[in-house]
Amino acid sequence: MYDVLKAIGEKFRLPGELYSYEVITMGNINSTYKVTYTKPDGSLKSYLFQKVNTHVFKSPVEIMENIDRVTSHIRDKYPEQITLHYHHTDDGLNYYICGDSAFWRVVNYVDSVTFNASEDLSIIEATGKAFGEFQNRLSDLDGAVLHETIPDFHNTKKRLDTLFEHVSDDPCGRAADAKKEIEYLASVREKAGELSVMFANGEIPKRVTHNDTKCNNVLFDRVTKEPIVVIDLDTIMPGMSMYDFADAVRFIANTAVEDEPDTSKVFFDTAKFRAFANGFIGATKDALESVEIENLVKATFSITIELVSRFLDDYITGDKYFRCTYPKHNLVRTRCQLQLAKDIERKWDELSWIVRDVADNV
Ligand code: GN1
Ligand code: MG
């Protein structure tokens, strides 16, 4: 790997000598390395090198164009803030396609801390604020200039339709392993798809959204514990604001990890939901329409069902999309997220009440 990284660093004209590298295991899709250089003056400087998964991201050049638009928009509006800066090659491109068609990019490393989970409600509230403000910063960027890099990425109805097609094709003979899960999905299929149908019909505003709002996509200052910058801009596209909220709480308010095998540990924590809602709604309430606030709970349920369908679809079709570290990993993820969706369903009224209370008081 050393030689590959060294060659990539040369393409991006990084000054100095490669000093060390480490693999960053966070993320289910791309391969990421933290690479440190000794600068000519002897000091150390780190970068993130990323090999983009082109099976998932079929139009990586368009992604890099989106990232360029978004980061320069934010940089122009808020020049004093830390933004992501992608390095360019001699050809003036912010990516490099290596001989074997590997797609590489290099971004500045921001010294920071991230949270995969947090019991600290103030960190959760700050995460909500960071994602809400991120959306605000992009509210005057015309979504039409962005490529839809993964068409129908958060089209829940379509995700479910695809799953049920694959369940009936059953290409790997695995559908029988998930009989109960498939039955449950069939029972909530219509309800979970409703918002995506309303969005397609123009009944929900189209905004520039992040689309992958896991809390570990916010970098925090190690000392002040204030958010520094939102990362992972691969899926920025026009979308529903409430799905950014929803995907974030799906992840942060889970009492267990996303792929917890023991589903008796999986609950949806309403105090964490409230903390995130405080931050997110507080930051966006002037921009959000009532249809967006009123449907935050339904969005939370829907995106959780969507991810259940995506994990299960990947299991049924042979584990080609999400990185799996053991056999049946996708089935374990499916069951965990399904348990979470059921708990959200159970707590629906309480969560709706929390949203109303927060919206009235922030
Ligand atoms: C993938 O690799 P990561 O963590 O950035 C996926 C998200 C899922 C998430 C589930 C492009 O994100 O949509 O919510 O896994 N990203 C893509 O952990 O499919
Ligand atoms: Mg991502």
Side-chain angles (χ1 to χ4, degrees), residues 190-208:
E190 208 184 306
K191 174 160 87 169
E194 265 166 22
L195 292 175
S196 58
V197 173
M198 285 171 71
F199 181 65
N201 293 340
E203 294 164 45
I204 292 171
K206 196 183 253 194
R207 305 187 185 275
V208 175

Side-chain angles (χ1 to χ4, degrees), residues 23-176:
V23 181
I24 308 278
T25 49
M26 207 171 82
N28 291 329
I29 311 280
N30 295 321
S31 309
T32 308
Y33 304 84
K34 178 183 172 192
V35 186
T36 301
Y37 277 72
T38 317
K39 289 206 291 194
D41 69 4
S43 63
L44 296 177
K45 182 169 170 61
S46 300
Y47 305 84
L48 286 186
F49 285 32
Q50 248 187 346
K51 188 171 151 196
V52 177
N53 177 334
T54 49
H55 173 70
V56 168
F57 296 113
K58 303 223 186 303
S59 333
V61 173
E62 295 190 341
I63 286 181
M64 295 314 292
E65 284 175 12
N66 279 358
I67 289 179
D68 227 19
R69 289 218 161 90
V70 166
T71 50
S72 43
H73 183 85
I74 296 178
R75 208 176 303 126
D76 290 350
K77 260 173 90 178
Y78 306 93
E80 75 291 353
Q81 286 181 4
I82 293 179
T83 47
L84 299 182
H85 175 74
Y86 283 86
H87 290 262
H88 289 79
T89 64
D90 260 340
D91 305 324
L93 301 173
N94 58 0
Y95 57 87
Y96 171 68
I97 302 174
C98 202
D100 58 352
S101 84
F103 191 100
W104 286 90
R105 62 190 177 194
V106 173
V107 65
N108 55 320
Y109 174 80
V110 179
D111 185 44
S112 57
V113 59
T114 57
F115 302 96
N116 282 318
S118 179
E119 293 309 313
D120 182 344
L121 296 181
S122 63
I123 295 279
I124 295 178
E125 181 167 345
T127 307
K129 189 165 168 233
F131 280 124
E133 279 175 356
F134 182 78
Q135 248 178 37
N136 286 342
R137 282 174 195 160
L138 297 174
S139 60
D140 56 341
L141 176 69
D142 178 9
V145 302
L146 297 178
H147 306 285
E148 197 183 351
T149 47
I150 305 185
D152 292 315
F153 186 58
H154 281 319
N155 184 338
T156 309
K157 177 179 184 305
K158 201 157 177 184
R159 294 281 190 183
L160 284 158
D161 290 349
T162 306
L163 168 73
F164 282 102
E165 266 168 45
H166 291 156
V167 164
S168 66
D169 297 347
D170 199 12
C172 306
R174 293 178 171 185

